[in-house]
C-alpha cells in the first residue's frame, strides 16, 4: 500500500532525524495522526520557530537567539579565557559541570579534510580575529583523531603569541564525545588541564 502524499511527506520529514529510519518515521507519523494531533501541531510550530529564530552567536558560534549568546554577553564571565569545543552540546556539558567562568568558541565540527572541512568551515578565521583579546585558550575538542588534529592546528595558530594554551584530557575517554562525560569528571578534566 502506498501512503497518501501528505502522510508520505511527513514520514520522509521524520527521517531527517539521526537514528530514525523509514519504519520508526512511519510509526511516529501514524501515532501523531491517530493520537496526538494537538501535540503534532505544537511540534510543527516549535520546529519552524526554532529553525527560523536560532542563529549562531557572532562571537563564539554557539546557538543564540540574539547577536550574542548569553555567555558572550555576560560581563561576569572572563571574556579573555576561551574554551574551544566542537559542539553546542559540549558547552552545555561544561556549563552543567558548574566550574568554568570563561567563555567558549564553538567550532561546530572538527577539521576533516576528507569531507572538505577546513579551518574556515569551523570558524578558525573568526577565532583568529579575536586572539588579541584572548589570554588563555583551553582546548576541549574531542579525543578522536580529528579532534586531536584540530587541537594541534589551533596550537600552531597561536604559537609565538603570549596566549597560554592548555588541553583538557584526563578522565575524558579516548574517542569520546564531551557531551557524554559526566559533570564531575568534566569539572576535574578542566581543573587538571595540561599546559601545552
Ligand atoms: Zn557567544
Amino acid at each position: 500500500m502506498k501512503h497518501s502524499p501528505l502522510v508520505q511527506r511527513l514520514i520522509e520529514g521524520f527521517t531527517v532525524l539521526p537514528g530514525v529510519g523509514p519504519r520508526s518515521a512511519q510509526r511516529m507519523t501514524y501515532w501523531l495522526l491517530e493520537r496526538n494531533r494537538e501535540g503534532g501541531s505544537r511540534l510543527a510550530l516549535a520546529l519552524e520557530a526554532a529553525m527560523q529564530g536560532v542563529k549562531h552567536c557572532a562571537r563564539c558560534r554557539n546557538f543564540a537567539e540574539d547577536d550574542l549568546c548569553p555567555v558572550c554577553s555576560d560581563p561576569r564571565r572572563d571574556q579573555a579565557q576561551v574554551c574551544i569545543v566542537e559542539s553546542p552540546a559540549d558547552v552545555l556539558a561544561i556549563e552543567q559541570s558548574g566550574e568554568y567562568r570563561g567563555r567558549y568558541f564553538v567550532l561546530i565540527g572538527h577539521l576533516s579534510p576528507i569531507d572538505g572541512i577546513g579551518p574556515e568551515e569551523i570558524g578558525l578565521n573568526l577565532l583568529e580575529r579575536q586572539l588579541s583579546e584572548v589570554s588563555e585558550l583551553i582546548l576541549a575538542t574531542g579525543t578522536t583523531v580529528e579532534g586531536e588534529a584540530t587541537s594541534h592546528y589551533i596550537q600552531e595558530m597561536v604559537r609565538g603569541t603570549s596566549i597560554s594554551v592548555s588541553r583538557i584530557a584526563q578522565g575524558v575517554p579516548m574517542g569520546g564525545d564531551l557531551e557524554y562525560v559526566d559533570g564531575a569528571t568534566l569539572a576535574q578534566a578542566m581543573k587538571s588541564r595540561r599546559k601545552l
Side-chain angles (χ1 to χ4, degrees), residues 57 60 69 72:
C57 172
C60 75
C69 72
C72 286

Side-chain angles (χ1 to χ4, degrees), residues 123-143:
L124 293 183
N125 47 345
L126 177 62
L127 178 66
E128 201 160 21
R129 290 199 295 275
Q130 299 172 7
L131 289 181
S132 58
E133 308 148 26
V134 174
S135 63
E136 182 184 2
L137 278 186
I138 301 165
L139 299 168
T141 54
T143 52

Side-chain angles (χ1 to χ4, degrees), residues 73-137:
S73 50
D74 185 347
R76 289 163 304 178
R77 305 288 296 237
D78 181 354
Q79 300 290 333
Q81 185 184 38
V82 180
C83 179
I84 300 185
V85 295
E86 292 187 12
S87 80
D90 297 336
V91 171
L92 197 64
I94 295 174
E95 285 296 287
Q96 282 168 350
S97 78
E99 302 270 339
Y100 183 60
R101 302 308 302 156
R103 69 172 178 100
Y104 299 90
F105 190 86
V106 188
L107 303 170
I108 325 262
H110 43 228
L111 289 176
S112 183
I114 283 179
D115 306 309
I117 300 173
E120 287 212 6
E121 281 71 28
I122 57 171
L124 293 183
N125 47 345
L126 177 62
L127 178 66
E128 201 160 21
R129 290 199 295 275
Q130 299 172 7
L131 289 181
S132 58
E133 308 148 26
V134 174
S135 63
E136 182 184 2
L137 278 186

